[in-house]
Amino acid sequence: MTLQKLEATSPQAQSANLLADNIAQLKALFPELVTEGANGAAINVDVLKALVGDATATDADEKYGLNWHGKRRARQLALTPSTGTLRPCPEESVDWDSTQNLMIEGDNLEVLKLLQKSYAGKVKMIYIDPPYNTGKDFVYPDNFQDNIKNYLKLTGQVEGSSKISSNTESSGRFHTDWLNMMYPRIKLAHSLLAEDGAIFVSIADHEIHNLRHALDEIFGTENFIATVIWHKMDSPKNSAVHLSEDHDYIVIYAKNSDIWRPCPLPRTEEMIARYKNPDNDPRGPWLLGDLAARNFYGQGRYPITTPSGKIIPGPPAGSYWRINEGKFKEFDKDGRIWWGTSGENRPGIKRFITEVKDGVVPQTYWAWKDVGSTRHAKQELSQLMEADAGDDLFITPKPVRLLRRVLQIGAPKDALILDFFAGSGTTMQAALEQNAADEGKRRCVLIQLPEPLPEVNSRGHASIADITKERLRRAAIKIRAAITDTACATGQLSLEDSPQPPAAPLDLGFRVFKLDHSNIRAWNPDRNDLAQTLLDHEEHILTGRTENDIVYELLLKLGLDLCVPMQSRNFSGKTVSAIGGGVLMTCLAEEILASDVETLAQGIVAWHKELAPVGDTTCVFLDSAFENDVAKTNLAAILEQHGIGNVRSL
C-alpha cells in the first residue's frame, strides 16, 4: 500500500462542494435525473419535467419572485468551493486551550464556505446585523475567480490594497449590489442551520422588502415566523426632514417552522405581581381569566347560577362560554371559579401561577425600555472600551439587552450561535452574559471582516476586527468580576439576574482564526520559468506555515469541530497528535527515516487502540518527510494491517 497524496485539488483538501452535494441528493432520489454532460454529471431537464409534470416545472420569464442583475452569479458564488483556510492565532485569543467560542477574521462568504463540512446542520441560531445599505455602508465586493486574493488586497494584508467605497445610489446598482452581496451568504447560512434552528436578521426600511423576498426564496415562505419591531429611539429626532425613524426590524425565519419553537421569555416582576390570592387558595396566587370568549369554540351558551341563587342567562352578546357546562360544574366544585368578593359577579376562571407555562410567548413589539436603545448601545460600548467622549467606535451598535432578548428566544442553553456580520461583537458578549445569568453552555461563532479603519486609533486598533476582539476581552473581564464581587448589584453590568458562581467553569474565552490561502501549494506555473516552478512545487506546503496551520486546515477539510480536543505523544522522537479522540491522527515531523518507521507506526497503532475512536481514522504525514518511498510504503502497510486504512500525505 502507498500513501495517498493530498493535492490542492483533492476533495479532502477542499471546502464542501455544495453543487456536487446537491447533484448527489438528486441522484439518490431520482437516479434517472442525472446524466453525463460535457463537464461531468448534469441534470436532464426533460426528465425533471417528466417527473414533476410540465405544469409544475417552468423556465418562463414571467413567474413570481424577485429578480435582479447578477442573481445567477450570486447563486454560483454560494456553490463554488473555497480555496482558503483558517489560520489559528493563539496569541490573540483568550483561554485558547479551553474555550469553545470562535472569533474569525475574514470575508464571511469564504468563511461560511469553509465552515460547511464541520458545522452544517449544527447551528441552532443565527443572528446578523448586515449593512442597511444607506449609501454609506460597505458592500463586500466578491470576486468570482479568486475571492481570497481580492479579500487580502482590500483589507491591506498584501501589496496592492485598494480603497473600499460606499454603495451610493448614484452607482445605478444600489439594491442590486446589496442583494448580490447578501444572497450567497444567506444561502450558505441556511445550510449551517439545524432543522430546529432559526435566523434573526436586523434590518431597516431601506432593504426589508428585498430581504423578505430573498429569505422567502431560500427558506420558503412557509418558514417565515415574524417581523419584530424594535423601538430603538428613546427620544425622537426633531431634525428629521420628514418623519423621525424610531424603529428597526428583526426578521425571523425558521429552518423548519413545523419543528422550531421559540423559547418562552421569563416573566417580569410586574407580570408576577399581577397574580394575587384574595381567597387564600392553598394552591397559591392566581390570575383571573375571562370565562367568555368572542370566538365560538363549540362550547355554547348556557345559564349559570351564582352561589346566592342569582341566574346569569349567558355570556355577553356575541360571545360564548370557553368551557362546556359539565366542565364548568367540575371547576366550580374544585374552587377554580371566582365569583368576586360579593359572590354575585359574572364568573371567571382562576389561572394559578404554579400551573401556567414557565415563561410567556414573545411578542413582536420590543420597547427600548425593555431591550435598550441605540443611545444605550453606544454608551455601553464606549464605557466598556473606555473611549474618549464623543468618540463613536461604531455608528450603529446594538444594545446587549436586545441581543440577550434574541438569545432568550432562539438559543437554548446548549445552542451553537453564529453571527457572520459581527461588528463590535455584541452577540458574543450577550451570549457570555446570558450564560453567566442562567449557567448556560451556549457557544458562539463570530465572523468579521478586518475592514481597515481610516487611521490606527490611540489603542492600536487598525481594523474593525481589532475592536471586536478588544471588546470581547474587556467583556470577559467585566463578567468575571460580576461573578466574584458586587459589580452586578451596583449596576456596572446589565445582567437581569445576579449571577451565581456556575456549577462548571464559565467559558469567557474565544479562539481567533484568520482567513488565508490554503496551506497546500496549488499548481500555479510561471510560464517564463517552468524549471523554478517545478523546484518550488517539490515542497507541498507553503513557506512560513506552521504545524498548527496545517492541523486546523485538516480539521476544516475533514469536517471536524475547530474546538475539538487534541492530545500529543512522542514516538521515535516524532510528535504525534490525536484529534477528536483519534478520528484524526497527524505526524507532521519534517524528517522520517526508514529506521524510524517501525517504532513510529507501532506507537501510533497502540495509541489508536487505546483511544478506540468511533468511526474511521485518518492519519496524515508530510510527504517530503520520508527518507524514501520504501519508508513511506512500509509505514502505510503497518498502519493498514492494524485497521488504519485512511493514510494520507501532504
Side-chain angles (χ1 to χ4, degrees), residues 125-129 198-202 250-253 260 366 406 409-411:
M125 193 204 85
I126 296 174
Y127 170 80
I128 55 172
D129 182 16
I199 185 170
F200 294 66
V201 185
S202 284
I250 300 177
V251 180
I252 308 171
Y253 277 74
W260 183 81
W366 298 357
V406 170
I409 294 171

Side-chain angles (χ1 to χ4, degrees), residues 289-305 311-316 318-325 328 337 339 345-349:
D290 198 342
L291 186 61
R294 288 195 172 275
N295 294 325
F296 178 54
Y297 294 107
Q299 308 307 324
R301 300 168 59 88
Y302 50 85
I304 288 177
T305 303
I311 296 177
I312 299 175
S319 61
Y320 306 84
W321 297 127
R322 290 180 181 273
I323 55 178
N324 60 38
E325 192 170 3
F328 172 82
I337 300 298
W339 302 92
N345 292 0
R346 180 161 61 88
I349 302 176

Side-chain angles (χ1 to χ4, degrees), residues 189-483:
H190 180 268
S191 300
L192 292 172
L193 268 180
E195 281 300 306
D196 60 347
I199 185 170
F200 294 66
V201 185
S202 284
I203 200 68
D205 279 317
H206 304 88
E207 296 291 353
I208 187 170
H209 50 299
N210 288 329
L211 175 68
R212 282 290 309 273
H213 272 297
L215 289 169
D216 280 345
E217 184 170 314
I218 294 170
F219 282 80
T221 55
E222 70 279 7
N223 291 314
F224 168 70
I225 300 298
T227 297
V228 170
I229 297 173
W230 169 41
H231 186 191
K232 64 178 182 178
M233 304 295 293
D234 49 15
S235 59
K237 286 185 177 179
N238 287 328
S239 59
V241 175
H242 297 116
L243 299 178
S244 174
E245 293 184 9
D246 291 350
H247 71 277
D248 277 346
Y249 306 98
I250 300 177
V251 180
I252 308 171
Y253 277 74
K255 180 75 171 283
N256 185 334
S257 61
D258 291 335
I259 300 175
W260 183 81
R261 292 293 180 272
C263 301
L265 292 172
R267 283 185 170 80
T268 64
E269 291 183 4
E270 182 181 354
M271 292 177 182
I272 295 173
R274 293 170 58 198
Y275 286 81
K276 308 291 184 181
N277 195 0
D279 58 347
N280 295 316
D281 194 304
R283 286 164 290 197
W286 48 268
L287 190 66
L288 188 64
D290 198 342
L291 186 61
R294 288 195 172 275
N295 294 325
F296 178 54
Y297 294 107
Q299 308 307 324
R301 300 168 59 88
Y302 50 85
I304 288 177
T305 303
T306 69
S308 63
K310 176 183 175 182
I311 296 177
I312 299 175
S319 61
Y320 306 84
W321 297 127
R322 290 180 181 273
I323 55 178
N324 60 38
E325 192 170 3
K327 180 63 72 173
F328 172 82
K329 291 178 179 179
E330 180 184 325
F331 275 24
D332 191 25
K333 184 178 180 181
D334 192 35
R336 291 177 178 270
I337 300 298
W338 176 248
W339 302 92
T341 53
S342 66
E344 298 294 319
N345 292 0
R346 180 161 61 88
I349 302 176
K350 292 181 181 180
R351 307 290 188 189
F352 294 96
I353 194 170
T354 56
E355 297 177 351
V356 297
K357 293 180 180 178
D358 290 339
V360 294
V361 175
Q363 296 178 308
T364 56
Y365 176 78
W366 298 357
W368 65 263
K369 64 183 180 66
D370 297 322
V371 297
S373 66
T374 52
R375 183 175 62 84
H376 293 146
K378 289 182 180 181
Q379 286 178 346
E380 65 189 11
L381 179 58
S382 294
Q383 290 171 5
L384 184 66
M385 301 290 284
E386 297 178 343
D388 296 332
D391 183 10
D392 278 343
L393 295 172
F394 276 80
I395 302 301
T396 56
K398 295 296 182 286
V400 174
R401 279 191 293 163
L402 176 71
L403 267 297
R404 288 196 52 193
R405 169 68 64 87
V406 170
L407 296 177
Q408 287 172 331
I409 294 171
K413 290 185 178 182
D414 61 347
L416 176 60
I417 303 157
L418 171 65
D419 181 349
F420 53 92
F421 286 98
S424 65
T426 311
T427 300
M428 188 179 289
Q429 181 177 344
L432 299 180
E433 288 194 11
Q434 192 61 35
N435 283 344
D438 63 13
E439 297 187 10
K441 297 295 181 184
R442 298 170 187 84
R443 298 178 56 194
C444 194
V445 178
L446 299 186
I447 306 172
Q448 175 56 44
L449 185 83
E451 181 183 346
L453 298 173
E455 58 183 22
V456 177
N457 64 23
S458 59
R459 298 185 181 277
H461 303 141
S463 71
I464 289 178
D466 289 341
I467 296 176
T468 312
K469 289 177 287 186
E470 180 66 17
R471 176 181 189 162
L472 296 178
R473 295 185 190 104
R474 289 170 174 264
I477 293 170
K478 197 160 191 177
I479 294 169
R480 189 171 280 117
I483 294 173

Side-chain angles (χ1 to χ4, degrees), residues 153-168:
K153 284 185 176 180
L154 286 169
T155 53
Q157 299 181 59
V158 296
E159 291 185 6
S161 60
S162 54
K163 184 180 179 181
I164 299 171
S165 59
S166 299
N167 184 34
T168 60

Side-chain angles (χ1 to χ4, degrees), residues 27 53 150 217 336 477 516 529 557:
K27 187 175 182 179
N150 189 51
E217 184 170 314
R336 291 177 178 270
I477 293 170
D516 208 333
D529 194 351
K557 304 302 172 64

